[in-house]
Coordinates of all heavy atoms in Angstrom, one line a residue:
Chain A
R9 N -11.3 15.6 -4.9 CA -10.0 15.2 -4.3 C -10.1 15.0 -2.8 O -9.4 14.2 -2.2 CB -9.0 16.3 -4.6 CG -8.6 16.4 -6.1 CD -7.8 15.2 -6.6 NE -6.7 14.9 -5.7 CZ -5.5 15.5 -5.7 NH1 -5.3 16.6 -6.5 NH2 -4.6 15.1 -4.8
Y31 N -8.8 -0.8 -19.8 CA -8.8 -1.3 -18.5 C -8.8 -0.1 -17.5 O -8.1 0.8 -17.6 CB -7.6 -2.1 -18.2 CG -7.5 -2.7 -16.8 CD1 -8.0 -4.0 -16.5 CD2 -6.8 -2.0 -15.8 CE1 -7.8 -4.6 -15.3 CE2 -6.7 -2.6 -14.5 CZ -7.2 -3.8 -14.3 OH -7.1 -4.4 -13.0
Y35 N -8.7 1.4 -6.5 CA -8.0 0.9 -5.3 C -8.2 1.8 -4.1 O -8.5 3.0 -4.2 CB -6.4 0.9 -5.6 CG -5.9 0.0 -6.6 CD1 -5.9 0.3 -7.9 CD2 -5.5 -1.3 -6.2 CE1 -5.5 -0.6 -8.9 CE2 -5.0 -2.2 -7.2 CZ -5.0 -1.8 -8.5 OH -4.5 -2.7 -9.4
Q37 N -6.2 2.9 -0.5 CA -4.9 2.8 0.2 C -5.1 3.1 1.7 O -5.6 4.2 2.0 CB -3.9 3.8 -0.4 CG -2.5 3.8 0.2 CD -1.6 4.8 -0.5 OE1 -2.0 5.7 -1.2 NE2 -0.3 4.6 -0.2
G40 N -0.3 0.7 6.3 CA 0.1 -0.7 6.6 C -0.6 -1.8 5.8 O -0.2 -3.0 5.9
L41 N -1.5 -1.4 4.9 CA -2.2 -2.4 4.1 C -1.8 -2.2 2.6 O -2.2 -3.0 1.8 CB -3.7 -2.3 4.3 CG -4.2 -2.7 5.7 CD1 -5.7 -2.5 5.8 CD2 -3.8 -4.1 6.0
G42 N -1.2 -1.1 2.3 CA -0.9 -0.8 0.9 C -2.1 -0.5 0.0 O -3.1 0.0 0.5
L43 N -2.1 -0.9 -1.2 CA -3.2 -0.7 -2.1 C -4.0 -2.0 -2.3 O -3.4 -3.1 -2.5 CB -2.7 -0.3 -3.5 CG -2.5 1.2 -3.7 CD1 -1.2 1.7 -3.1 CD2 -2.6 1.5 -5.2
Q45 N -7.4 -3.7 -4.3 CA -8.3 -3.4 -5.4 C -9.7 -3.6 -5.0 O -10.1 -4.6 -4.4 CB -7.9 -4.4 -6.6 CG -8.6 -4.0 -7.8 CD -8.2 -4.9 -9.0 OE1 -8.2 -6.1 -8.8 NE2 -7.9 -4.3 -10.1
Y48 N -12.6 -3.6 -10.9 CA -11.9 -3.3 -12.1 C -12.9 -3.5 -13.3 O -13.9 -4.2 -13.1 CB -10.6 -4.1 -12.2 CG -10.8 -5.6 -12.4 CD1 -10.9 -6.2 -13.6 CD2 -10.8 -6.4 -11.3 CE1 -11.0 -7.6 -13.8 CE2 -10.9 -7.8 -11.4 CZ -11.0 -8.4 -12.6 OH -11.1 -9.7 -12.8
M50 N -12.6 -4.4 -17.5 CA -11.8 -4.8 -18.7 C -12.2 -4.0 -19.9 O -11.4 -3.8 -20.8 CB -11.9 -6.3 -19.0 CG -11.3 -7.2 -17.8 SD -9.6 -7.0 -17.6 CE -9.0 -7.9 -19.1
D59 N -10.4 -7.3 -4.6 CA -10.2 -8.0 -3.3 C -11.1 -7.5 -2.2 O -11.4 -8.2 -1.3 CB -8.7 -7.8 -2.9 CG -7.8 -8.4 -3.8 OD1 -8.1 -9.6 -4.2 OD2 -6.8 -7.8 -4.2
F90 N -7.8 5.6 -5.2 CA -7.1 5.8 -6.4 C -7.8 5.1 -7.6 O -8.2 3.9 -7.5 CB -5.7 5.3 -6.4 CG -4.8 6.2 -5.6 CD1 -4.4 5.8 -4.3 CD2 -4.3 7.4 -6.0 CE1 -3.6 6.6 -3.5 CE2 -3.5 8.2 -5.3 CZ -3.1 7.8 -4.0
Q97 N -5.0 -5.3 -19.8 CA -4.5 -6.3 -18.9 C -4.9 -7.7 -19.4 O -5.2 -7.8 -20.5 CB -5.1 -6.0 -17.5 CG -4.7 -4.7 -16.9 CD -3.2 -4.6 -16.4 OE1 -2.7 -5.6 -16.1 NE2 -2.7 -3.4 -16.5
G98 N -4.9 -8.6 -18.5 CA -5.2 -10.0 -18.9 C -4.3 -10.6 -19.9 O -3.1 -10.2 -19.9
A99 N -4.7 -11.5 -20.7 CA -3.9 -12.2 -21.6 C -3.2 -11.3 -22.6 O -2.1 -11.7 -23.1 CB -4.7 -13.3 -22.3
G101 N -2.3 -8.1 -22.2 CA -1.7 -6.9 -21.6 C -0.5 -7.1 -20.8 O -0.4 -8.0 -20.0
T102 N 0.5 -6.2 -21.0 CA 1.6 -6.1 -20.1 C 1.8 -4.6 -19.6 O 2.8 -4.3 -19.1 CB 2.9 -6.5 -20.8 OG1 3.1 -5.6 -21.9 CG2 2.8 -7.9 -21.3
E104 N 1.6 -0.9 -18.0 CA 1.6 -0.4 -16.6 C 0.3 0.4 -16.4 O -0.4 0.9 -17.3 CB 2.8 0.5 -16.4 CG 2.9 1.7 -17.4 CD 3.6 1.4 -18.6 OE1 3.7 0.2 -19.0 OE2 4.1 2.4 -19.2
L105 N 0.0 0.7 -15.1 CA -1.2 1.4 -14.7 C -0.8 2.9 -14.7 O 0.3 3.3 -14.2 CB -1.7 1.0 -13.4 CG -2.3 -0.4 -13.3 CD1 -2.5 -0.8 -11.8 CD2 -3.7 -0.4 -14.0
F107 N -2.2 6.3 -12.8 CA -3.0 6.6 -11.6 C -3.5 8.0 -11.6 O -2.8 8.9 -12.0 CB -2.2 6.3 -10.3 CG -2.1 4.9 -9.9 CD1 -1.2 4.1 -10.5 CD2 -3.0 4.3 -9.0 CE1 -1.1 2.7 -10.2 CE2 -2.9 3.0 -8.7 CZ -1.9 2.2 -9.3
G108 N -4.7 8.2 -11.0 CA -5.1 9.5 -10.7 C -4.4 10.0 -9.5 O -3.6 9.3 -8.8
E109 N -4.8 11.3 -9.1 CA -4.1 11.9 -7.9 C -4.6 11.5 -6.6 O -4.1 11.8 -5.6 CB -4.2 13.4 -8.1 CG -3.6 14.0 -9.3 CD -2.1 14.2 -9.1 OE1 -1.7 15.2 -8.5 OE2 -1.3 13.3 -9.5
Chain B
Y32 N 4.5 -11.1 -14.0 CA 4.9 -9.7 -14.5 C 5.1 -8.9 -13.2 O 4.3 -8.9 -12.3 CB 3.7 -9.1 -15.3 CG 3.4 -9.8 -16.6 CD1 2.2 -9.5 -17.2 CD2 4.3 -10.7 -17.2 CE1 1.9 -10.1 -18.4 CE2 4.0 -11.3 -18.3 CZ 2.8 -11.0 -19.0 OH 2.5 -11.6 -20.2
F34 N 6.4 -5.2 -11.2 CA 6.4 -3.8 -11.4 C 6.9 -3.1 -10.2 O 6.7 -3.6 -9.0 CB 4.9 -3.3 -11.7 CG 4.3 -3.8 -12.9 CD1 3.7 -5.1 -12.9 CD2 4.2 -3.1 -14.1 CE1 3.1 -5.6 -14.0 CE2 3.6 -3.6 -15.2 CZ 3.1 -4.9 -15.2
Y36 N 6.4 0.9 -8.5 CA 5.7 2.2 -8.6 C 6.3 3.1 -7.5 O 6.7 2.6 -6.4 CB 4.2 2.1 -8.5 CG 3.5 1.5 -9.7 CD1 3.5 0.1 -9.9 CD2 2.9 2.3 -10.6 CE1 2.8 -0.4 -11.0 CE2 2.3 1.8 -11.7 CZ 2.3 0.5 -11.9 OH 1.6 -0.1 -13.0
Q38 N 5.4 6.7 -5.1 CA 4.3 7.6 -4.7 C 5.0 8.8 -4.0 O 5.5 8.6 -2.9 CB 3.3 6.9 -3.9 CG 2.1 7.9 -3.5 CD 1.0 7.2 -2.7 OE1 1.3 6.3 -1.9 NE2 -0.2 7.6 -2.8
N41 N 1.1 13.3 -1.5 CA -0.1 13.9 -2.0 C -0.2 13.7 -3.5 O -0.9 14.5 -4.2 CB -0.2 15.4 -1.7 CG -0.2 15.6 -0.2 OD1 -0.9 15.0 0.5 ND2 0.7 16.5 0.2
R42 N 0.4 12.6 -4.0 CA 0.3 12.3 -5.5 C -0.2 10.9 -5.7 O -0.1 10.0 -4.8 CB 1.6 12.5 -6.1 CG 2.3 13.9 -6.0 CD 1.4 14.9 -6.7 NE 1.2 14.7 -8.1 CZ 2.1 15.1 -9.0 NH1 3.2 15.7 -8.7 NH2 1.9 14.9 -10.3
G43 N -0.6 10.6 -6.9 CA -0.9 9.2 -7.3 C 0.4 8.4 -7.5 O 1.5 9.0 -7.5
L44 N 0.3 7.1 -7.7 CA 1.4 6.3 -8.0 C 1.9 6.5 -9.4 O 1.1 6.8 -10.3 CB 1.1 4.8 -7.8 CG 1.1 4.3 -6.4 CD1 -0.1 4.8 -5.6 CD2 1.1 2.7 -6.4
F46 N 4.5 4.9 -12.4 CA 5.3 3.7 -12.9 C 6.8 4.0 -13.0 O 7.2 5.1 -13.5 CB 4.7 3.3 -14.3 CG 5.5 2.3 -15.0 CD1 5.5 1.0 -14.7 CD2 6.4 2.7 -16.0 CE1 6.2 0.0 -15.3 CE2 7.1 1.7 -16.7 CZ 7.0 0.4 -16.4
K49 N 9.3 -2.2 -15.1 CA 8.6 -3.5 -15.1 C 9.5 -4.6 -15.7 O 10.4 -4.4 -16.5 CB 7.3 -3.5 -15.9 CG 7.5 -3.2 -17.4 CD 6.1 -3.1 -18.1 CE 6.3 -2.8 -19.6 NZ 5.0 -2.7 -20.3
I51 N 8.9 -8.2 -17.7 CA 7.9 -9.1 -18.3 C 8.6 -10.4 -18.7 O 8.2 -11.5 -18.4 CB 7.3 -8.4 -19.6 CG1 6.6 -7.1 -19.1 CG2 6.3 -9.3 -20.2 CD1 5.5 -7.2 -18.1
L88 N 7.4 6.9 -1.2 CA 6.9 5.6 -0.9 C 6.9 4.7 -2.1 O 6.5 5.1 -3.2 CB 5.4 5.7 -0.4 CG 4.7 4.5 0.2 CD1 5.5 3.9 1.4 CD2 3.3 5.0 0.6
F90 N 6.2 1.0 -4.1 CA 5.4 -0.2 -4.1 C 5.9 -1.1 -5.2 O 6.1 -0.8 -6.3 CB 3.9 0.2 -4.4 CG 3.2 0.9 -3.3 CD1 3.1 2.3 -3.3 CD2 2.6 0.2 -2.3 CE1 2.5 3.0 -2.3 CE2 2.0 0.9 -1.3 CZ 1.9 2.3 -1.3
R94 N 1.7 -9.4 -11.2 CA 0.6 -9.9 -11.9 C 0.9 -11.2 -12.5 O 2.0 -11.4 -13.2 CB 0.1 -8.9 -13.0 CG -1.1 -9.4 -13.7 CD -1.8 -8.2 -14.4 NE -1.1 -7.9 -15.7 CZ -1.2 -8.4 -16.8 NH1 -2.0 -9.5 -16.9 NH2 -0.6 -8.0 -17.9
G97 N -1.6 -13.5 -17.8 CA -3.0 -13.7 -18.1 C -4.0 -13.2 -17.1 O -5.2 -13.2 -17.4
A98 N -3.6 -12.9 -15.9 CA -4.5 -12.4 -14.9 C -5.0 -10.9 -15.3 O -4.3 -10.3 -16.0 CB -3.9 -12.4 -13.5
N99 N -6.0 -10.5 -14.6 CA -6.6 -9.2 -14.9 C -6.2 -8.1 -14.0 O -6.7 -7.0 -14.2 CB -8.1 -9.4 -14.9 CG -8.6 -10.3 -16.1 OD1 -7.9 -10.4 -17.1 ND2 -9.7 -11.0 -15.8
N100 N -5.5 -8.4 -12.9 CA -5.3 -7.3 -12.0 C -3.9 -7.5 -11.3 O -3.3 -8.5 -11.3 CB -6.3 -7.3 -10.9 CG -6.5 -8.7 -10.2 OD1 -6.0 -9.7 -10.7 ND2 -7.1 -8.7 -9.0
L101 N -3.4 -6.3 -10.9 CA -2.1 -6.2 -10.2 C -2.3 -6.4 -8.7 O -3.3 -5.9 -8.2 CB -1.5 -4.9 -10.4 CG -0.6 -4.6 -11.7 CD1 -0.1 -3.2 -11.7 CD2 0.5 -5.6 -11.8
F102 N -1.4 -7.1 -8.0 CA -1.5 -7.2 -6.6 C -0.3 -6.5 -6.0 O 0.9 -6.7 -6.4 CB -1.4 -8.7 -6.2 CG -1.8 -8.9 -4.8 CD1 -3.1 -9.0 -4.4 CD2 -0.8 -9.0 -3.8 CE1 -3.4 -9.3 -3.1 CE2 -1.1 -9.2 -2.5 CZ -2.4 -9.3 -2.1
F103 N -0.6 -5.5 -5.1 CA 0.5 -4.6 -4.6 C 1.0 -5.0 -3.2 O 0.2 -5.6 -2.4 CB -0.1 -3.2 -4.5 CG -0.2 -2.5 -5.8 CD1 -1.3 -2.6 -6.6 CD2 0.8 -1.6 -6.2 CE1 -1.4 -1.9 -7.8 CE2 0.7 -0.9 -7.4 CZ -0.4 -1.1 -8.2
G104 N 2.3 -4.8 -3.0 CA 2.8 -4.9 -1.7 C 2.3 -3.7 -0.8 O 1.6 -2.9 -1.2
T105 N 2.8 -3.8 0.5 CA 2.3 -2.8 1.4 C 3.1 -1.5 1.4 O 2.8 -0.5 2.1 CB 2.4 -3.3 2.9 OG1 3.7 -3.9 3.1 CG2 1.4 -4.5 3.0

Side-chain angles (χ1 to χ4, degrees):
Chain A
R9 294 289 313 280
Y31 180 92
Y35 291 86
Q37 183 180 13
L41 298 176
L43 272 78
Q45 190 177 48
Y48 65 94
M50 297 293 287
D59 298 313
F90 287 101
Q97 295 287 332
T102 62
E104 62 269 25
L105 290 169
F107 282 83
E109 297 279 278
Chain B
Y32 294 166
F34 300 79
Y36 287 82
Q38 184 181 29
N41 300 313
R42 303 296 301 276
L44 279 72
F46 169 77
K49 66 181 177 183
I51 303 300
L88 188 57
F90 289 96
R94 181 163 77 82
N99 296 331
N100 54 343
L101 277 180
F102 193 86
F103 284 83
T105 53

